[in-house]
Amino acid sequence: MSAPSFRRRLALGTRVLAAELRLSSEGLLEGHVHEGEARRSLAAEAVRAPDGSVLLRVGGEAVRARVVRQGDVTTVVVGGRAYELRDAEQAAPGQAAAEEPFATSPMTGLVAKVSVAPGARVAAGAPLFIVEAMKMEYVVRATREVVVREVRRKAGEKVALGEVVVAFEASAAGRA
Amino acid sequence: MSGFPFTTVLVANRGEIALRVIRTLRVLGLRSVAVYSDADAGAPHVLAADRAVRIGPAPARESYLSIPALLQAVRDSGAQAVHPGYGFLSENAAFARALADAGVVFVGPPAEVLEASADKLTVKRRVAAGGVPVIPGPLGAVPDEPAALQAAARETGYPLLLKAAAGGGGKGMRVVREAGGLLEAAESARREAGGAFGSTVLYLERLVTDARHVEVQVLCDRHGQVRVLGERDCSLQRRHQKVLEEAPAPGLPPEQRRRVHEAGAAAARALGYVNAGTVEMLLDPEGRCWFLEVNRRLQVEHPVTEATFGVDLVAWQLRVAAGERLPPQDEFVARGHAVEARVYAEDPGQGFLPSCGRITALDVPEGPGLRVDGAWGVGQEVSPHYDPMLAKVIAHGATREEAFARLDDALARTAVTGVRTNVGYLRAILADPEVRAGRVAIDLLERRAGELAEPAAPADLVLLAAAAHALLRGAAVTAPAVGAAGAARATPDSPWQSLAGFRLGEPSR
């Protein structure tokens, strides 16, 4: 019979890793990972701790990791640092963010102020809107010269991470 | 000593500080009443108290900052005393006055002390009159009129600091380096101050650069006695938000330490101060100390003083509020070194933006010399309405090196998922050679931001962990049960016994 296996394409930040690992009945985790052109072999002893965390022995070094999978994101916490692995099938790596025809909220919070109105021409670096969460303010600025087409949130309204607050005219004036 | 003139104490706060106060109330045999907004129904502090009273909807202005709502909760619960914690209404004179008028004990400075030091500007004038050195700047409010504001700023000189007179915790404070950024900074500071403190009054100060932040813990009774419980160094700050605090201040020559303590005591006397308070000072490279402000409440970082002096400051606050006399100064003796790290729900990889969400797994470290004050738990919602601090991890040791090593080990064993945290950043700070050498300064974290940036992810290790998690049978995926105070459940049959030689966490960088 074959050992249980783990075959997944995962994005870690901007890196895409294709893992193929098997777990032997002795608790030996073995296989390899493809990253671009490169291929590396991986091996570790693996044990599940009673508290649900994972214990690994990799090349003489012992590491404890807390792993949680939720939706298409696997969060791995090692040494206090959390790393997020995203299932790469849906991931669209290398999205160009700089020229997007809208400005999104950088965090979940409340819109504290909208500094622009539809039709306004906004210089690069000028404030578009302010989001507030936990009493901290974050000013979202135009990354280039833009003309505002639409404002989708008013001051005092809730906004989610990544939600569009201000949309620009498609013919970005800044490119002219 | 027992015999408090009150038996039930309402804690007018939330989060870890509410839990911490409730713990002492329990030790002293006093009944505790928690208050909560709709966002906090079922929060750890609500579960820990003997009784809990709803005070309003989620926004702080309509709940934790609402004096009428809190007075109603005091009446409904029959509390005879109120502990305000820190932030919110802790330094609010109107709140202390309303309680006094209702015959309720305020566990903090009496209303008249708060009234006479109602804003930082007044305090600055009074301590200056008491002979305490203050930072150069106009002893008046920033004018609303743009031209007048520009003129006042020119006179003070750039770089300067805009501060909310009613401010605290870095909120409503802005560094302004040149005239061009002044008006926008003032507008933004006013809005933030208005939201956080209900007052938009600002004042100006010269920015003291290359300085250390050293603060003196004072304890003053109603009989005119002032005690100094050492100093804390809180130089490691990011955007005026303290990140790492320690006691005593490292590398302070005895003569400088004595002068800092004397300035702290002098400031307390100049204000006729009563209860626990903190006199914040800047120590410039020449060793001169400048009065910064007085915090008329318990500080977030009070546990490092508690660890070194072996005292319970909340218990002393209650005793002083009950009219007790403080013991002589020589009964307060410090031992060893303590350091505290603040764990924030924020994303160091995204410019430290607050990270909201629900905690899905949590490992809280335990060990000798370790204390964790948190109000976190699996399932706990981290909401955008309140402060992003999740917990404080405090380590005490015989030496600074031991305390730092214990803290780093504790942070390496801390795991939070569901929201992003600064734990990795804290470990990077602890590993920084300048920090280790005790060469701390207020600008250090900004200056060394490059060195303190997140290291590259150990991709192969992360993959192995994810694969092991997916493939291993055994203990459930669910996170450990967490007590209200944030203490992780102990695992009796620890895997470490069967896996001798296992070292926890990765080596610090």
Side-chain angles (χ1 to χ4, degrees):
Chain A
M1 61 168 267
S2 65
S5 70
F6 179 87
R7 290 160 165 268
R8 252 182 240 168
R9 277 186 78 232
L10 296 160
L12 178 65
T14 55
R15 301 167 70 175
V16 177
L17 306 153
E20 278 192 53
L21 294 157
R22 290 166 310 281
L23 181 70
S24 77
S25 53
E26 290 78 41
L28 187 66
L29 190 61
E30 257 186 318
H32 53 263
V33 54
H34 289 276
E35 184 172 11
E37 302 292 289
R39 179 183 189 274
R40 297 188 295 277
S41 294
L42 301 182
E45 287 171 63
V47 178
R48 169 89 68 194
D51 72 354
S53 63
V54 162
L55 307 174
L56 296 172
R57 195 191 291 274
V58 192
E61 183 115 23
V63 179
R64 175 177 172 275
R66 168 68 63 186
V67 185
V68 172
R69 182 161 168 89
Q70 200 170 32
D72 62 354
V73 178
T74 304
T75 304
V76 177
V77 188
V78 181
R81 290 185 170 89
Y83 305 97
E84 287 170 18
L85 290 165
R86 209 165 283 276
D87 292 355
E89 275 63 36
Q90 301 94 311
Q95 282 175 342
E99 294 279 299
E100 277 171 341
F102 45 76
T104 59
S105 176
M107 60 186 178
T108 299
L110 304 166
V111 176
K113 181 183 175 181
V114 179
S115 313
V116 295
R121 180 176 291 269
V122 183
L128 293 169
F129 62 93
I130 298 173
V131 200
E132 184 189 74
M134 298 158 176
K135 295 182 273 176
M136 301 298 278
E137 286 193 344
Y138 188 88
V139 182
V140 176
R141 295 167 189 280
T143 54
R144 60 183 194 279
E145 189 183 341
V146 293
V147 175
V148 174
R149 181 165 55 85
E150 190 190 354
V151 174
R152 298 194 188 168
R153 285 282 177 280
K154 293 199 298 280
E157 288 184 339
K158 273 191 170 183
V159 67
L161 169 74
E163 211 173 305
V164 174
V165 177
V166 177
F168 311 136
E169 293 294 351
S171 57
R175 281 182 204 156
Chain B
M1 288 196 208
S2 59
F4 286 100
F6 39 78
T7 55
T8 303
V9 181
L10 182 140
V11 183
N13 216 299
R14 63 178 302 281
E16 66 88 17
I17 192 60
L19 275 170
R20 188 258 166 275
V21 172
I22 290 167
R23 199 166 59 232
T24 290
L25 294 175
R26 213 166 274 291
V27 168
L28 297 176
L30 296 166
R31 280 177 54 79
S32 54
V33 179
V35 294
Y36 63 94
S37 73
D38 289 339
D40 279 339
H45 75 281
V46 173
L47 306 177
D50 293 320
R51 210 187 139 180
V53 181
R54 178 189 176 273
I55 48 168
R61 258 166 286 188
E62 298 166 57
S63 50
Y64 299 103
L65 282 170
S66 165
I67 295 176
L70 284 156
L71 291 177
Q72 187 61 47
V74 169
R75 280 192 292 272
D76 291 350
S77 63
Q80 304 109 338
V82 170
H83 193 298
Y86 53 68
F88 294 130
L89 294 171
S90 59
E91 299 180 72
N92 188 298
F95 184 49
R97 174 58 67 196
L99 290 172
D101 289 349
V104 176
V105 175
F106 179 69
V107 185
E112 50 275 20
V113 172
L114 289 174
E115 282 159 358
S117 57
D119 65 84
K120 291 181 177 183
L121 254 177
T122 313
V123 168
K124 192 173 172 182
R125 283 193 212 105
R126 291 184 60 198
V127 301
V132 179
V134 297
I135 301 169
L139 291 171
V142 158
D144 286 330
E145 211 270 305
L149 168 55
Q150 295 280 16
R154 243 190 334 271
E155 202 173 310
T156 305
Y158 292 95
L160 55 78
L161 205 53
L162 274 169
K163 297 175 81 170
K171 307 230 162 82
M173 185 147 77
R174 296 286 185 279
V175 174
V176 187
R177 304 209 173 268
E178 50 182 34
L182 181 65
L183 297 183
E184 195 186 320
E187 193 201 339
S188 157
R190 278 204 176 97
R191 194 173 39 250
E192 196 171 289
F197 317 112
S199 155
T200 58
V201 176
L202 305 177
Y203 66 107
L204 287 174
E205 259 178 12
R206 181 96 48 81
L207 184 73
V208 179
T209 49
D210 287 336
R212 289 171 67 169
H213 174 118
V214 176
E215 58 184 35
V216 176
Q217 176 69 55
V218 296
L219 201 52
C220 311
D221 64 20
R222 291 173 179 273
H223 312 283
Q225 304 191 97
V226 175
R227 302 288 178 253
V228 172
L229 273 72
E231 81 287 350
R232 295 180 287 258
D233 190 305
C234 312
S235 300
L236 297 174
Q237 310 181 355
R238 215 186 53 76
R239 289 194 206 145
H240 309 292
Q241 190 83 42
K242 292 168 186 169
V243 177
L244 209 80
E245 305 106 335
E246 56 183 308
L252 211 59
E255 171 57 22
Q256 270 184 39
R257 174 165 287 126
R258 195 181 55 77
R259 267 189 285 127
V260 165
H261 291 186
E262 273 172 9
R269 287 200 186 91
L271 297 170
Y273 197 78
V274 177
N275 214 289
T278 293
V279 181
E280 296 191 333
M281 275 173 279
L282 289 178
L283 205 62
D284 71 16
E286 287 77 47
R288 291 175 300 189
C289 69
W290 303 97
F291 175 84
L292 202 54
E293 59 190 49
V294 60
N295 291 316
R296 302 157 301 162
R297 52 170 159 83
L298 195 66
Q299 296 281 94
V300 174
E301 60 272 23
H302 75 276
V304 294
T305 299
E306 294 189 322
T308 49
F309 280 85
V311 296
D312 180 336
L313 284 171
V314 172
W316 276 118
Q317 287 190 293
L318 290 159
R319 291 192 190 110
V320 165
E324 248 183 65
R325 295 182 76 90
L326 288 166
Q329 179 69 51
D330 61 13
E331 286 193 19
F332 294 100
V333 181
R335 188 181 58 83
H337 200 97
V339 56
E340 170 183 282
R342 298 190 188 189
V343 177
Y344 287 111
E346 62 185 16
D347 187 352
Q350 301 281 339
F352 292 91
L353 287 182
S355 176
C356 306
R358 193 176 290 277
I359 296 176
T360 51
L362 177 67
D363 294 335
V364 179
E366 285 179 88
L370 213 57
R371 164 175 170 183
V372 180
D373 280 16
W376 49 2
V378 173
Q380 177 77 22
E381 182 79 34
V382 179
S383 99
H385 293 286
Y386 311 114
D387 193 87
M389 195 177 76
L390 291 176
K392 310 180 301 204
V393 182
I394 306 107
H396 185 217
T399 61
R400 187 172 188 261
E401 290 65 35
E402 187 173 83
F404 272 53
R406 282 180 170 169
L407 180 59
D408 185 58
D409 177 62
L411 292 172
R413 290 184 285 125
T414 302
V416 184
T417 63
V419 294
R420 295 186 178 147
T421 74
N422 65 337
V423 172
Y425 177 67
L426 293 169
R427 292 195 66 203
I429 295 171
L430 288 171
D432 184 89
E434 285 193 33
V435 173
R436 291 202 98 104
R439 289 198 300 272
V440 290
I442 285 179
D443 68 340
L444 187 146
L445 293 188
E446 209 173 311
R447 191 160 38 80
R448 295 186 62 79
E451 287 85 348
L452 296 170
E454 286 287 288
D460 293 352
L461 185 61
V462 169
L463 275 184
L464 284 166
H469 177 75
L471 300 178
L472 284 169
R473 274 178 304 240
V477 177
T478 49
V482 169
R489 169 177 53 83
T491 48
D493 53 338
S494 163
W496 317 123
Q497 286 155 13
S498 54
L499 290 159
F502 253 77
R503 210 156 56 74
L504 300 188
E506 60 178 349
S508 58
R509 293 154 202 270

